[in-house]
Amino acid sequence: MDPVGIAIIGGGIFVKEQHIPAALASPLLSVKAIWSRSLRTAKEAAKLIPGDTATSVELYSSDSGESKSYEDILKRQDIAGVVIALPIVDQPKFIEKALAAGKHVLAEKPIAKDVATALKLIEYYKTVSAETNASLAIAENFRFNQGWAYAAEEIKKLGKVTGFVVRMNSMIQTSNRYYKTPWRTVPEYQGGFHLDGGVHFTAALRRLLGSENAIESLIAQTSLVSSHLAPVDSINAVMKTKSGAVGSYITSMGTTMEAFEFHVACERGVVKAEGAKVVTVRGTGQDAVVEEKVFEKTSGVKEEVHAWAESILSGIPNPEQAPELALGDLELMEKMLISGDRDGARQKLEYQHVEEFLEPLPQLRVHPVGIRSLSCAVHKDVNELADSLDLLDVFLEQCNLVDHAGFAEFVNSQAKLGDLGV
């Protein structure tokens, strides 16, 4: 099976430590090119490519001269997708150019610097993808951590959510290598590190609460404790869900306190999630049963990049990478910041009900490698493949993406699985 050719756009810390290793780890992808603002940083990123394949990876940059620009990458027929990790304010224009060129995009969170910009980007995506067939996925790696998914399922087992508390406290020092990145040191966007890193935590909270407990309103106070983390580094918010539950969201990136915990109380117990560790308490008092489960610590980036590759091959966008989900993560953070700026004025949220806001995903053409090649890489036997396709069929029907007969015809024509008995 020929893997999907991709380009890495960016040469920063996260690209070198996460994106490139993740792309190399997926048998479904082949890194064909790297672009960065300078040839120097592109070369640094390219050092991570193994010697046997490094010679086939071409380098592009803003200072490399003729035929080595970002636009030149987008002209290449052997590159089907791009992984984009650039400064927050710059990223949307790179995304739009890639989509216009018909390239599938996996872009780092946050989706944009604010909700208004994100809405314009999503609208542009919907318009252009209808013509170019390109897909837009937003990389929120917390959605691919096993711990958060497990905790969300445990919460569902314990009945109605009655309350929640989120506490995340840390100190980002001036010596922090991410802080030393110029665009983070003097941010040109709201919230500083809360927008850059904080959307991970709003994504985690939304994952735990589920759509039935979507946040509908909030009030917040914000402050700047450590002057080097302007404009704000601390948020204390009170939130109310559509189900009526009230919870608190307390976080600071400039405090001497330390905490990282998500507590969700339910009718029949409580779940405490700390990323890789989840503690479930079933019942109350002396009759309570405590269960602790620890998962392998992982960033989730390898999983998200591989999932993106699968979506390109199948022609079906991964719902966990939907731009609308990322919009909800961004909105929750933005509303806390706005409320803080307005001395605690109540804010109502519009884009948390994903099942209502999310329109049917575009039905993309299958990548030339085809579903059959994808399934051979992912599944070990025909029975497992058949079961997976049955589940996918049900999911697509429920999401109103295609009808049952249409999906069966799609599988038979695109994947040619008739000879496998599927």
Side-chain angles (χ1 to χ4, degrees):
M1 176 188 70
D2 293 329
V4 178
I6 66 166
I8 304 293
I9 310 302
I13 299 170
F14 207 72
V15 164
K16 289 183 284 190
E17 294 189 353
Q18 297 291 340
H19 288 131
I20 290 178
L24 294 174
S26 175
L28 306 179
L29 297 174
S30 174
V31 179
K32 300 287 187 181
I34 296 174
W35 179 93
S36 187
R37 294 186 184 279
S38 70
L39 183 58
R40 177 184 61 81
T41 53
K43 286 180 177 179
E44 289 177 356
K47 291 178 182 178
L48 296 170
I49 307 296
D52 55 339
T53 58
T55 55
S56 63
V57 178
E58 294 189 46
L59 303 184
Y60 297 73
S61 69
S62 297
D63 58 2
S64 287
E66 189 176 353
S67 301
K68 290 295 181 179
S69 68
Y70 175 63
E71 289 75 15
D72 289 312
I73 283 182
L74 300 181
K75 294 175 184 178
R76 289 181 54 168
Q77 296 301 309
D78 61 335
I79 293 177
V82 292
V83 177
I84 303 178
L86 296 171
I88 294 171
V89 295
D90 297 334
Q91 194 158 267
K93 61 185 178 184
F94 281 81
I95 294 173
E96 290 180 355
K97 286 183 179 181
L99 293 173
K103 306 302 182 185
H104 300 290
V105 176
L106 177 64
E108 256 303 318
K109 57 76 212 156
I111 184 173
K113 66 183 179 69
D114 53 40
V115 168
T117 304
L119 287 171
K120 291 178 182 178
L121 178 60
I122 291 174
E123 186 60 34
Y124 179 86
Y125 162 50
K126 291 178 180 178
T127 301
V128 172
S129 65
E131 302 173 0
T132 68
N133 201 51
S135 62
L136 172 59
I138 302 301
E140 174 45 72
N141 48 300
F142 271 40
R143 289 199 166 89
F144 291 86
N145 284 131
Q146 284 184 294
W148 300 114
Y150 173 78
E153 291 305 312
E154 290 296 287
I155 290 168
K156 290 179 181 179
K157 297 175 184 177
L158 297 177
K160 182 181 178 181
V161 170
T162 58
F164 58 91
V165 176
V166 175
R167 291 200 315 126
M168 295 165 298
N169 294 314
S170 62
M171 169 63 78
I172 296 178
Q173 305 277 5
T174 55
S175 58
N176 183 288
R177 55 193 179 142
Y178 283 101
Y179 176 80
K180 290 181 178 180
T181 307
W183 61 272
R184 291 187 175 98
T185 304
V186 184
E188 297 178 1
Y189 47 85
Q190 61 181 335
F193 271 89
H194 281 295
L195 183 69
D196 184 23
V199 289
H200 283 311
F201 310 132
T202 56
L205 176 60
R206 295 177 67 224
R207 181 72 176 87
L208 295 178
L209 295 178
S211 59
E212 62 274 21
N213 296 295
I215 307 297
E216 285 202 331
S217 65
L218 61 82
I219 56 175
Q221 291 287 351
T222 58
S223 64
L224 179 61
V225 177
S226 298
S227 59
H228 66 282
L229 296 173
V232 298
D233 61 10
S234 301
I235 300 173
N236 282 259
V238 177
M239 304 174 174
K240 188 172 185 179
T241 71
K242 74 174 186 179
S243 62
V246 175
S248 60
Y249 187 101
I250 305 166
T251 180
S252 177
M253 296 187 179
T255 180
T256 52
M257 294 187 290
E258 293 185 1
F260 185 87
E261 54 191 26
F262 292 67
H263 289 257
V264 179
C266 307
E267 292 174 310
R268 299 190 295 275
V270 62
V271 173
K272 178 183 178 182
E274 299 177 2
K277 184 173 79 172
V278 179
V279 177
T280 303
V281 181
R282 296 180 177 86
T284 58
Q286 295 181 345
D287 296 328
V289 177
V290 180
E291 178 185 286
E292 179 179 301
K293 190 158 186 175
V294 179
F295 296 87
E296 179 183 357
K297 287 188 177 181
T298 172
S299 67
V301 175
K302 286 185 178 179
E303 292 82 356
E304 76 176 359
V305 170
H306 188 71
W308 175 62
E310 290 177 335
S311 73
I312 294 175
L313 289 164
S314 67
I316 303 169
N318 189 307
E320 296 291 346
Q321 297 175 328
E324 289 83 357
L325 271 182
L327 172 66
D329 303 337
L330 171 61
E331 183 198 30
L332 184 52
M333 177 55 65
E334 179 171 287
K335 291 297 186 181
M336 285 189 277
L337 294 171
I338 291 174
S339 179
D341 286 343
R342 299 177 182 177
D343 196 27
R346 181 173 297 278
Q347 301 294 306
K348 291 187 177 181
L349 290 88
E350 300 178 59
Y351 305 112
Q352 301 300 300
H353 304 281
V354 178
E355 72 281 1
E356 298 172 6
F357 178 74
L358 186 60
E359 295 181 4
L361 297 171
Q363 296 181 40
L364 305 175
R365 292 189 297 274
V366 179
H367 185 273
V369 173
I371 285 182
R372 184 174 185 178
S373 296
L374 167 65
S375 59
C376 290
V378 178
H379 301 282
K380 295 182 179 179
D381 57 66
V382 173
N383 291 331
E384 183 181 351
L385 173 58
D387 290 342
S388 297
L389 287 172
D390 286 342
L391 290 173
L392 182 58
D393 191 2
V394 172
F395 168 76
L396 291 171
E397 253 189 274
Q398 290 177 341
C399 290
N400 196 31
L401 295 177
V402 294
D403 57 51
H404 182 92
F407 178 67
E409 181 180 355
F410 173 73
V411 169
N412 287 329
S413 62
Q414 298 290 342
K416 296 186 170 75
L417 293 172
D419 57 322
L420 294 181
V422 177

